[in-house]
């Protein structure tokens, strides 16, 4: 231990929300140069605690000290003035403005007419220094998720942040991007900056941090030196039981063809993600994994297979019905469920209640509807059951979804879609933002669907997840489906090989 | 003791009544300052306005006369706004309702005689006229993404010009002693009266408010409209067709304003003449916001607004103040309203200085 006074000290932080106590007398300490990993189940209070630190929420009790001095933080601007900045779980960039404009947006000490050129040059300096490649003139809307995140980091560095808070920064990153982020963080800490980051991925905790703090139900459960702990111990501390990391799966016994896609192509502005002559089939009781770096057409594939975008060529047949060019409702009526990659924009409606979000698939059918009128009692019972089965933590059915923690919003979507699924499940990054316990549960649930005869298309960037769950794995690159690996061939290095463009001979 | 705002997790039921009332009261307070600054006694003025609205059965019936079109247009606007379709064309839709009813009144119904069927026909024509005038911008928006704020606003002016042309030109009554306006409709299609000049239109408006509230909050279709209004992208993913639903909802929205116009010509003027573009369609926008887009609150908000209008006229006569006082107060309502939204989303909480917990 070093004897320096801590750079940052949060003491006895209490934050109540109606129905929950998000922080219950939490203490937190950060030394200069520290990377502190904040760990905890969904809804444990990680984001809330950090939101208190940057002045988005006012604590009901507790104090914050910087260099042993009591500070008052009433707004993100106050925090920024003290050198504390945060990247939020959901990005906060303005899509139709450029990188440079976003970086200075909302900055306090801006001249009346800021010179964008100066800003751009400074951005280029910083990005060179930290090896963070970004074009300052690019519009945010044209950037991939990984690039957007780089912009967020640049923005904090540009504004001179000394303590950086990253809320699940890698949930949406590719493994390579996450590796790059690690380098950036190391570089920053070697220069005396400090970081707090929230993640659910144990590997990253071990690779990024030197200290770990585990939260549970708003309280601190443990503070550890990373070097003196193991992922297993941390997981157990968090969940309160052992996490298995592997799932029970029945032997592969494929049935009839459920999804049959022939020469599927789409139109689109982005050459890279436009679908090009995709052929694939999924049978009952089969999980087809789709690997590949995000932005290579995975989202387009999911959207085409759920009727969101019409194919420009080719055909889609589901359960022997020709679905080509049909609207989303036809897909839903044919038993297709969809877990979209963007939970806030596409998967849920934040301004509506948890109950209403859970019934958004089922409301069309009896017993939830009778002569066009919604049946309150049956809906209540149904929602109650889903909340319980999927362990969604919410104060009540009536709570608006936007007030749930990130992971619990994801669980709400999963519960609705898995429950309504009848034949085909399209799941894009289903475990994104979930804690280890919930991740395990969701994977097990999807595999259970497969065991019961559902055909599953699983889009993921996590090779472990794909290998663990899939019966076959295809790799997407630049809008094309490269070869599909089966059985023995589903291995890390073989998938990697396909990604680099080599197809093992024994496959088609 | 500390006072604190706390974000609500659920929309409150009481706010249905409290929000419109609170914004009304605050606007009265602000108005009092304004009146005092102009050396008018606020208390006397408000008293005169109140007596003007409630002093006699006749006065109250005048409130009803104004509340009827305000409720209907308010409902129409609220319905469209719930879908984030910024329909500010209730004024034009109301006028086209008047034109629609007049077509039946002048060219379908015999000049003398006729029966209830013709009245029903005229009412349907009014709704069709309003629906047409809202349907055009809705089509432009859903097919070609043309901004509806512009189209609905511009179509108001087109509506005003077209009805002025009609009653001044081709439909003008040659025996009208020089007054511009069409001939009177047959008595058979006059809307039955209640008290004073008020008609059964108010009862129909109240029933419609109730039905609309029920449809929006309790039915499948209402659920889908809420989804579209709150997140059209997610609604689309979940199989709800935004364009079709917006079109249908806007036809209804226009039909409601059209009905208001129909009731004006069938119940009040009994002919097509000037006085349809009194600004009900614009007041409706304030009412819709005041009511937080809730159909039941629209009724309350419309009644309050009608009181301001009728009371404003009284103030002019009794206090010798410009009748614009009523209009100024209307405008002032918008200010606390912006704050009022805070109250429906937040709640006030008293918290003691707790040592523990
Ligand atoms: N603005 C808010 N209003 C009401 N309740 C809230 C609000 N923000 C958070 N909560 C509640 O506080 C609790 C903690 O939420 P928080 O977002 O801090 O969890 P988290 O640890 O970040 O979880 P996750 O891993 O799922 O992101 C949850 O029960 C959540 O519903
Ligand atoms: Mg969180």
């Amino acid at each position: 231990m070093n004897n320096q006074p801590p750079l940052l000290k949060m003491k006895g932080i209490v934050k109540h929300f109606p129905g929950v106590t998000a922080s219950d007398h939490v203490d937190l300490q950060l030394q200069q140069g520290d990377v502190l990993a904040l760990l905890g189940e969904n809804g444990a209070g990680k984001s809330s605690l950090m939101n208190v630190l940057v002045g988005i929420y006012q604590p009901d009790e507790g104090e914050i000290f910087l260099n042993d001095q009591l500070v008052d933080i009433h707004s993100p601007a106050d925090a920024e003035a003290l050198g504390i900045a945060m990247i939020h779980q959901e990005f906060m960039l303005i899509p139709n403005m450029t990188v440079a404009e976003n970086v200075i947006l909302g900055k306090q000490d801006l001249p009346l007419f800021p010179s964008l050129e100066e800003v751009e040059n400074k951005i280029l300096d910083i990005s060179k220094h930290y090896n963070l490649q970004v074009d300052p003139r690019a519009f945010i809307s044209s950037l991939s998720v990984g690039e957007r995140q780089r912009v967020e980091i640049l923005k904090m560095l540009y504004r001179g942040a000394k303590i950086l808070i990253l809320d699940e920064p890698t949930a949406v990153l590719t493994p390579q991007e996450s590796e790059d982020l690690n380098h950036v963080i190391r570089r920053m800490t070697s220069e005396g900056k400090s970081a707090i980051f929230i993640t659910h991925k144990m590997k990253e905790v071990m690779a990024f941090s030197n200290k770990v703090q585990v939260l549970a139900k708003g309280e601190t459960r443990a503070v550890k030196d990373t070097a003196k702990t193991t992922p297993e111990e941390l997981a157990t501390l968090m969940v309160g039981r052992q996490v298995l990391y592997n799932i029970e799966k029945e032997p592969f016994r494929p049935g009839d063809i459920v999804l049959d896609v022939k020469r599927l192509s789409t139109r689109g502005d982005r050459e890279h993600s436009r679908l090009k002559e995709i052929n694939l089939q999924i049978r009952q009781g089969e999980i087809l994994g789709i690997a590949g770096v995000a932005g290579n057409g995975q989202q387009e594939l999911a959207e085409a297979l759920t009727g969101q975008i019409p194919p420009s060529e080719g055909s889609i047949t589901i359960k022997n019905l020709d679905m080509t060019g049909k609207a989303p409702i036809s897909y839903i009526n044919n038993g297709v469920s969809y877990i979209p990659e963007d939970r806030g924009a596409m998967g849920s409606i934040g301004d509506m209640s948890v109950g209403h979000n859970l019934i958004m698939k089922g409301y069309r059918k009896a017993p939830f509807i009778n002569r066009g009128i919604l049946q309150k009692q049956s809906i209540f019972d149904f929602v109650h059951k889903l909340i319980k089965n999927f362990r969604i933590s919410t104060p009540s059915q009536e709570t608006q979804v936007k007030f749930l923690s990130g992971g619990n919003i994801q669980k709400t979507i999963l519960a609705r879609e898995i429950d309504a699924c009848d034949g085909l499940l399209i799941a894009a990054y289903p475990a994104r933002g979930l804690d280890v316990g919930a991740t395990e549960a969701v994977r097990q649930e999807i595999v259970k669907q497969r065991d019961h005869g559902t055909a599953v298309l699983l889009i993921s960037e996590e090779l472990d997840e794909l290998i663990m769950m899939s019966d076959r794995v295809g790799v997407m690159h630049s809008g094309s489906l490269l070869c599909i690996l089966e059985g023995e061939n589903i291995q890390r290095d073989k998938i990697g090989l396909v990604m680099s463009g080599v197809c093992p001979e024994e496959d088609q | 003791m500390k006072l604190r705002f706390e974000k609500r997790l659920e929309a409150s039921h009481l706010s249905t009544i409290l929000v419109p009332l609170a914004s009304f009261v605050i606007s009265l307070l602000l108005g009092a300052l304004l009146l005092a600054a102009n050396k008018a006694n606020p208390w006397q003025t408000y008293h005169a306005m109140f007596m003007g609205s409630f002093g006699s059965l006749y006065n109250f019936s005048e409130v009803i006369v104004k509340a009827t079109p305000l409720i209907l247009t308010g409902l129409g606007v609220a319905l469209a706004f719930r879908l984030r379709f910024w329909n500010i064309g209730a004024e034009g839709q109301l006028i086209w309702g008047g034109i629609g009813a007049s077509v039946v009144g002048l060219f379908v119904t015999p000049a003398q005689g006729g029966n209830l069927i013709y009245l029903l026909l005229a009412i349907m024509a009014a709704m069709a006229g309003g629906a047409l005038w809202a349907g055009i911008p809705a089509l432009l928006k859903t097919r070609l993404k043309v901004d509806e704020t512009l189209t609905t606003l511009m179509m108001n002016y087109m509506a005003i010009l077209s009805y002025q042309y009609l009653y001044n030109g081709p439909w003008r009554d040659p025996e009208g002693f020089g007054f511009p306006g069409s001939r009177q409709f047959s008595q058979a299609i006059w809307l039955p009266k209640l008290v004073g000049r008020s008609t059964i239109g108010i009862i129909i408006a109240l029933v419609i408010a109730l039905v609309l509230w029920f449809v929006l909050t309790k039915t499948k279709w209402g659920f889908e409209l809420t989804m579209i209004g709150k997140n059209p992208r997610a609604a689309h993913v979940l199989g709800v067709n935004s364009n079709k639903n917006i079109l249908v909802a806007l036809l209804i929205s226009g039909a409601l304003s059209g009905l208001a116009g129909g009731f004006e010509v069938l119940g009040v003027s009994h002919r097509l003449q000037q006085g349809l573009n009194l600004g009900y369609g614009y007041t409706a926008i304030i009412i819709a916001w005041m009511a937080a887009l809730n159909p039941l609150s629209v009724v309350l908000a419309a009644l309050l607004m009608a009181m301001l209008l009728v009371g404003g006229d009284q103030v002019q006569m009794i206090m010798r103040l410009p009748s614009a006082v009523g209009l100024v107060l209307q405008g002032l309502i918008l200010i606390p309203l912006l704050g009022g939204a805070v109250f429906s989303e937040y709640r006030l909480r008293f918290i003691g200085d707790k040592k523990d917990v």
Side-chain angles (χ1 to χ4, degrees), chain B residues 202-224:
Chain B
I202 184 69
I203 294 167
I204 298 174
L206 291 176
V207 171
I208 290 178
L210 208 62
V211 171
L212 192 62
W213 170 79
F214 184 83
V215 169
L216 288 176
T217 56
K218 309 278 175 210
T219 69
K220 173 175 179 245
W221 192 54
F223 187 65
E224 294 183 337

Side-chain angles (χ1 to χ4, degrees), chain B residues 21 54 68 101 131 190 192 252 277 305-306 321-322:
Chain B
L21 268 185
F54 294 105
T68 308
W190 292 10
I252 296 176
N277 57 326
M305 282 303 201
L321 284 170

